[in-house]
Amino acid sequence: MLTVQSLSKSYTRDKVSLNDVSFDAQPGTITAVIGPSGAGKTTLLRSLNQLIRDDAGTVTLNGENLRLLNKRALQRARRNIGMIFQNYNLIDALTVVENVLHGCLGRKSTLRGMLALYSADERAEAMALIGEMGLSEFAFVQCRHLSGGQKQRVGIARALMQHPQVLLCDEPIASLDPKSATLVMDILRQQADNKQLIVVVNLHQVAIARGYADHIVALNQGAKVFDGTAAALTDARVQEIYG
Ligand SMILES: Nc1ncnc2c1ncn2[C@@H]1O[C@H](COP(=O)(O)OP(=O)(O)OP(=O)(O)O)[C@@H](O)[C@H]1O
């Protein structure tokens, strides 16, 4: 279980961007974080793997408070936390399989990583994941030639190559058309179910959050204003959250 307790963050003295936020996220579930622009969704997500070092609170995974870890221990803990991004963060000049293989760099020696020396097992695993994403025919195509939806599926395969317990997704469908967005969300659902992943996803689309999330956390001006099931997120609550 991923446990967040009393997380707070201020970038500047006069403004609180995350204000005493607490929630749990369970294996095999999708937690959607929603809220208006500037509510603190990205700050929260990036605090979960300590890409942003928060000012107060705890983030606990496997009994470890990530906020207290030194640099080396945090690097090790981050191997359990994959991340996908709105803008994919792929290397466009590399092929799909090369990008996916980058996902296992964190568990390789620096030298093997630098020389891009991957084992037969790692290559087979990358190809299997590419197949799960429905991208087998593109495995040896440079990512620059893919659509946004295809790139996001490469990003998911790369994150899964890391063997994470947690998958953090920062607005993964914000740049996608509705059909590609559905495909990406379907894949996140399958992966959460099949691999008992803890998925935390920032979303702008309330309908998608209601349709896919087991658990919804809503933020407004840095504070948690809703924490419950999709069924409990009534239209009236949505109105309150978005104002
Ligand atoms: N690096 C930074 N320095 C100063 N203030 C920041 C920084 N990053 C974010 N903020 C502020 O913190 C607040 C929360 O920002 P954040 O990006 O987390 O919100 P968000 O809900 O993800 O917004 P959006 O939906 O527009 O991406 C905003 O008021 C933002 O201006």
Side-chain angles (χ1 to χ4, degrees), residues 41-54:
K41 302 182 294 295
T42 298
T43 303
L44 174 61
L45 203 79
R46 287 174 174 252
S47 296
L48 299 183
N49 60 358
Q50 297 289 287
L51 279 179
I52 291 173
R53 304 306 296 249
D54 20 82

Side-chain angles (χ1 to χ4, degrees), residues 20-241:
D20 198 20
V21 172
S22 304
F23 68 93
D24 293 335
Q26 308 283 347
T29 68
I30 296 180
T31 297
V33 182
I34 63 167
S37 196
K41 302 182 294 295
T42 298
T43 303
L44 174 61
L45 203 79
R46 287 174 174 252
S47 296
L48 299 183
N49 60 358
Q50 297 289 287
L51 279 179
I52 291 173
R53 304 306 296 249
D54 20 82
D55 300 336
T58 62
V59 178
T60 310
L61 181 65
N62 301 326
E64 269 183 333
N65 177 6
L66 304 188
R67 288 197 61 241
L68 299 181
L69 300 181
N70 63 27
K71 202 173 159 191
R72 200 182 174 88
L74 183 59
Q75 260 178 352
R76 179 182 39 73
R78 276 194 187 135
R79 287 185 207 149
N80 289 324
I81 308 175
M83 192 152 187
I84 64 171
F85 306 87
Q86 180 180 347
N87 60 0
Y88 325 117
N89 280 15
L90 302 176
I91 302 176
D92 272 344
L94 296 184
T95 63
V96 167
V97 68
E98 286 166 331
N99 270 284
V100 173
L101 281 164
H102 278 178
C104 62
L105 285 180
R107 52 190 155 94
K108 299 180 84 63
S109 71
T110 312
L111 184 65
R112 288 186 74 82
M114 278 170 59
L115 298 175
L117 291 174
Y118 298 103
S119 68
D121 282 353
E122 286 165 341
R123 287 176 185 281
E125 186 183 354
M127 290 303 289
L129 280 170
I130 291 166
E132 279 181 50
M133 300 300 135
L135 293 171
S136 296
E137 63 187 293
F138 299 100
F140 301 103
V141 171
Q142 284 181 337
C143 282
R144 75 168 92 237
H145 299 299
L146 302 184
S147 70
Q150 290 167 335
K151 285 183 182 179
Q152 194 55 288
R153 286 183 274 151
V154 177
I156 296 172
R158 180 185 55 188
L160 293 173
M161 200 65 202
Q162 207 180 313
H163 300 165
Q165 287 176 274
V166 180
L167 190 58
L168 304 178
C169 314
D170 196 6
E171 311 228 1
I173 58 168
S175 311
L176 304 184
D177 62 80
K179 199 171 161 199
S180 304
T182 301
L183 200 50
V184 164
M185 290 307 299
D186 285 343
I187 286 173
L188 292 178
R189 180 75 263 170
Q190 279 163 16
Q191 295 295 327
D193 291 344
N194 298 347
K195 297 182 178 153
Q196 288 299 292
L197 280 177
I198 298 168
V199 176
V200 184
V201 53
N202 282 356
L203 288 171
H204 269 292
Q205 305 86 333
V206 174
I208 298 270
R210 278 175 163 156
Y212 284 92
D214 305 284
H215 172 207
I216 298 178
V217 171
L219 300 179
N220 196 324
Q221 297 186 18
K224 188 177 82 173
V225 290
F226 176 86
D227 185 340
T229 61
L233 185 68
T234 59
D235 289 347
R237 296 306 304 270
V238 172
Q239 187 70 34
E240 279 166 28
I241 293 162

Side-chain angles (χ1 to χ4, degrees), residues 9-19 55 221:
K9 168 76 185 172
S10 296
Y11 295 98
T12 54
R13 279 190 192 168
D14 56 342
K15 188 169 174 195
V16 180
S17 291
L18 213 53
N19 189 0
D55 300 336
Q221 297 186 18

